[in-house]
């Protein structure tokens, strides 16, 4: 069987390999960060500062990262961001392996690494159309998105092995090596130069222009709303410990399996997702159906009376999420001109990455009042309601075919 055309692209294949390695290192480091801070302080509250540091850096710096992604060479911006992260990982590895690391060193490293990532992510997504033809953008994203799920599975596992061998410092050293690999790959990629705007704008004006573009693109801002409805209302990950320990009574081992199941489901769905974005001309309807089924799977998870059924529900959650996420991300990239793609991606990143953090807070607080089963069920019904409201009338999402054919506003 012949390889898909996107996999016969030398530059994309190199880039994909580098991104996979970098993401595994990043996920492993996040796991090691949480472990090391708790080990050093014994405080869950202090450990929570790791997540807070990520959220603050993301919200504050994402628009600036998007603006720069449209003003400078995206490949060079990526190299710069990866180099900063490499230096941070290397410094933390040295401090940890020498026995001199303290908790605030780890939290500061998280702030700096996340700050680098806010410049990295918009450029990383916006670089894809420079590596593949427009007709292959959706296929490229369908292959790149599961890399995140693979990293979620392998990164923490790698961290556990390396921490057992030599402590968190070894994980940080491996992470630094993955950053170095991606920097080297970016150096040999062949990408066309970014067309720069004729009139010079300030960074603030560029950010405003990106926001104004989204405000005039119903497809993009509606997709952002759908993304938020799923990640905020159906934020299931924050409830998994309570479901595993207090509802299903399967202990820490069961919690680990339940936590890994959504990522496994996303990986298992990779072929179906790829074929859908490659062939379907009704991707908007597939997106809406996947979102409704995602909510249904969340309800099944909430009410699962036995552990096996809960694992099946979690696998389905990951699969439906992978389908919906891939179509949303591809639609945003296809519907955005190259000269503004970095800023639009940055704003979209605030919903796609910020939504889960907000959902953890909202659903977690709600669960504290009504319990995890009711909280997840009510949130899932809200997700289903939002998606269903777009399913029974003509709108830009329902009619989205996978290729933007309308005139640009």
């Amino acid at each position: 069987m012949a390889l898909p055309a996107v996999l016969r692209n030398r530059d994309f294949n190199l880039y994909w390999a580098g991104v996979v390695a970098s993401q595994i290192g990043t996920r492993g480091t996040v796991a090691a960060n949480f472990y090391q801070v708790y080990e050093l302080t014994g405080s869950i509250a202090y450990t929570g500062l790791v997540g807070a540091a990520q959220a603050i850096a993301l919200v504050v710096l994402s628009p600036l990262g998007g603006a720069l992604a449209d003003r400078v060479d995206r490949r060079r911006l990526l190299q710069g961001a990866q180099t900063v992260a490499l230096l941070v990982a290397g410094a933390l590895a040295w401090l940890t392996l020498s026995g001199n690391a303290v908790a605030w060193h780890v939290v500061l490293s998280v702030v700096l690494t996340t700050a680098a990532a806010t410049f990295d992510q918009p450029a990383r997504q916006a670089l894809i159309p420079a590596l593949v033809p427009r007709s292959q953008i959706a296929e490229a994203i369908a292959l790149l998105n599961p890399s995140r799920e693979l990293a979620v599975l392998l990164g923490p596992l790698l961290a556990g092995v390396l921490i057992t061998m030599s402590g968190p410092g070894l994980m940080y050293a491996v992470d630094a090596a993955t950053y170095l690999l991606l920097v080297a790959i970016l150096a040999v990629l062949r990408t066309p130069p970014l067309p720069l705007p004729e009139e010079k704008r300030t960074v603030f004006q560029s950010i405003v222009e990106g926001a104004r573009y989204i405000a005039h693109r119903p497809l993009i801002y509606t997709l952002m709303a759908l993304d938020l409805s799923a990640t905020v209302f159906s934020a299931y990950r924050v409830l998994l410990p309570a479901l595993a320990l207090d509802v299903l009574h399967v202990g820490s081992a069961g919690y680990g399996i339940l936590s890994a199941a959504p990522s496994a489901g996303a990986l298992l769905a990779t072929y179906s997702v790829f074929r859908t974005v490659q062939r379907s001309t009704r991707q908007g309807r597939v997106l809406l159906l996947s979102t409704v089924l995602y909510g249904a799977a969340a309800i099944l998870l909430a009410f699962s009376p036995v552990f096996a059924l809960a694992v099946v529900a979690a696998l389905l959650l990951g699969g439906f999420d992978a389908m919906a996420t891939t179509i949303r991300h591809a639609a945003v990239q296809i519907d955005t001109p190259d000269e503004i793609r970095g800023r639009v991606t940055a704003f979209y990143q605030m919903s796609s990455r910020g939504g889960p953090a907000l959902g953890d807070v909202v659903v977690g607080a709600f669960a504290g009042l009504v319990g995890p089963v009711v909280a997840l069920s009510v949130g899932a019904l809200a997700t289903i309601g939002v998606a269903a409201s777009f399913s029974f009338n003509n709108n830009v999402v329902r009619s989205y075919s996978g290729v933007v054919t309308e005139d640009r506003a």
Side-chain angles (χ1 to χ4, degrees), residues 13 24-25 44 67 77 112 194 209 213 229 251 261 271-272 325 370 376 397 407:
N13 287 342
I24 291 174
I44 295 176
L77 178 59
L112 295 175
L194 174 70
E209 184 183 26
Y213 178 84
S229 76
Y271 180 78
S272 296
T325 298
V370 302
L376 185 54
V397 175
D407 294 333

Side-chain angles (χ1 to χ4, degrees), residues 139-151:
E139 296 174 31
I141 293 175
L143 292 173
L144 282 166
N145 273 353
S147 304
R148 176 175 60 88
E149 306 300 340
L150 182 66

